[in-house]
Amino acid sequence: MAAQTSEPAVHPESTHPGPIMGLMAGYWQVKILLAAVEHDVFTALSGRSATSAELAADLGLVPRGANDLLVGLRHLGLLESADGGFANSAVADAFLVRGRPAYLGGYLRFCDQELNPAWDGLATALRTGQPQNHAAVEGNPYDTLYRDADATDGFLDSMDLLTTPIGLAMSRFDWSRYKSFVDVGGARGNFAHQVVSANPHLTGAVFDLPPLEPAFTRHMAGLGGVAPSITFHGGDFFTDRLPEADVLVFGHVLHNWGVEDRVRLLKNAYDSLRPGGAVFVYDPMAGGEQPSMHGVLAGLAMLVWSRGGHEYSVQELHGWLAQAGFRPETAEVADLHDDVLVVGHKDR
């Protein structure tokens, strides 16, 4: 019997490997952005234009590499040609110049130094189910980040920028039946400040890891206004009792943990809430059998970064809330963007 030979697949003329190669090129483009942020290219170009030779001299870069870097950034829409050299585009000028209120460098640094190395272990995480972030294996995945004050401030600057629209939307929610709330995992209090500013009858508080208290104090001092009425409570929400309040808020918290930990947190919340109080949970809730690409990326990020975290659906959260003793309700909140708010009522 003649040996069978495998014939090369015949593809339509319109089929080519470009989309696959484009995905790999996308990774390289990200590295261009991160290298530019590390060398502070956009800050160096703030308010001026410069040639690649001038910028290489200013920043101590190799001239040939600097020119390719700048041309690449121009192709990405982050730089523009100006006066024979390069200048920041509008988006780079708004978000990538150090010292600007909307600077995203802290978040990009977090991605580069903390999150992306965990993504490098995605293939291993898919096989083992274990996080590739060593801090998560040993305890809390944010422990290493919060040991560096500069990294903490930069990361929190970016988080406040990205989550400000959520705080604004939640500040317009009907808080009239409540007198106090605690933002669990509320970092340096940006959300709490937004809500109390719009609802001055409320007393606000933040519960988060003790190393964040100095960042909270600095941030509140800079905001002024209602800031003095917002307090910080340091602790670990797995081992310490949560402060008593009418409302406990879990924003972008539950998806960081496994199901058992989520139920444990919700039971802890139930025990700390006053009768008639409620727990507010907002997350993308992008789980389910057919999540969006945003949900897929968020879910895989949790796989490599956290200890059991993953995206979940509204229906799953309703079940966990009921298990903890709450009466769950999905709330309608305008302008919450990619997030969903679910309220768990403690009726007695």
Side-chain angles (χ1 to χ4, degrees):
M1 183 174 179
Q4 294 182 344
T5 59
S6 59
E7 295 293 333
V10 178
H11 300 291
E13 290 184 4
S14 60
T15 302
H16 56 81
I20 296 172
M21 299 306 296
L23 291 173
M24 184 56 70
Y27 172 75
W28 298 335
Q29 291 169 8
V30 168
K31 300 302 287 185
I32 288 175
L33 168 61
L34 293 174
V37 170
E38 179 177 340
H39 289 293
D40 239 356
V41 167
F42 306 103
T43 305
L45 288 174
S46 177
R48 67 162 181 150
S49 65
T51 66
S52 61
E54 290 169 339
L55 201 67
D58 290 345
L59 299 179
L61 305 179
V62 177
R64 179 169 58 87
N67 186 69
D68 287 343
L69 175 70
L70 298 178
V71 173
L73 292 169
R74 185 177 63 195
H75 282 299
L76 293 175
L78 298 174
L79 295 182
E80 299 174 346
S81 297
D83 301 325
F86 300 88
N88 288 336
S89 67
V91 68
D93 214 47
F95 298 108
L96 294 174
V97 175
R98 187 183 299 275
R100 297 276 169 86
Y103 180 61
L104 281 173
Y107 177 69
L108 296 178
R109 179 183 177 188
F110 161 73
C111 289
D112 191 28
Q113 298 184 357
E114 299 276 344
L115 188 54
N116 288 359
W119 270 98
D120 289 341
L122 176 60
T124 300
L126 287 167
R127 185 178 65 252
T128 65
Q130 297 300 310
Q132 302 304 296
N133 170 21
H134 296 299
V137 175
E138 298 170 1
N140 191 305
Y142 291 98
D143 281 345
T144 55
L145 176 66
Y146 293 156
R147 289 173 190 161
D148 183 332
D150 289 338
T152 297
D153 284 341
F155 174 72
L156 294 178
D157 282 342
S158 300
M159 288 299 98
D160 287 347
L161 171 66
L162 296 172
T163 60
T164 286
I166 296 172
L168 291 174
M170 288 298 297
S171 69
R172 294 189 290 267
F173 186 76
D174 182 9
W175 293 80
S176 60
R177 74 182 73 179
Y178 308 113
K179 295 181 180 179
S180 63
F181 74 94
V182 176
D183 188 13
V184 181
R188 59 184 186 181
N190 204 59
F191 174 92
H193 187 270
Q194 287 176 288
V195 171
V196 174
S197 295
N199 301 272
H201 73 283
L202 287 171
T203 298
V206 167
F207 182 90
D208 214 318
L209 296 171
L212 283 176
E213 186 167 7
F216 167 87
T217 302
R218 290 193 299 272
H219 191 59
M220 289 296 106
L223 291 174
V226 299
S229 68
I230 302 170
T231 56
F232 184 91
H233 301 264
D236 183 325
F237 49 45
F238 286 121
T239 58
D240 299 316
R241 184 178 176 87
L242 296 172
E244 185 179 87
D246 295 329
V247 174
L248 294 175
V249 180
F250 289 88
H252 297 167
V253 169
L254 293 190
H255 73 164
N256 287 300
W257 309 99
V259 173
E260 290 185 3
D261 284 335
R262 293 171 187 173
V263 174
R264 185 152 56 109
L265 285 175
L266 292 173
K267 288 181 176 178
N268 190 0
Y270 188 91
D271 292 340
S272 296
L273 282 169
R274 297 177 181 128
V279 61
F280 290 2
V281 180
Y282 65 83
D283 254 333
M285 302 192 199
E289 293 299 319
Q290 296 294 329
S292 65
M293 189 59 179
H294 170 77
V296 167
L297 293 174
L300 292 175
M302 289 299 100
L303 176 67
V304 300
W305 169 254
S306 69
R307 193 179 67 225
H310 58 87
E311 295 306 308
Y312 57 89
S313 68
V314 172
Q315 292 74 21
E316 287 175 308
L317 177 56
H318 276 234
W320 301 327
L321 286 166
Q323 187 177 343
F326 292 102
R327 174 173 55 85
E329 173 192 12
T330 303
E332 294 291 333
V333 181
D335 301 322
L336 206 51
H337 301 284
D338 294 325
D339 286 301
V340 178
L341 174 66
V342 172
V343 178
H345 300 280
K346 181 177 179 178
D347 293 326
R348 61 182 187 276

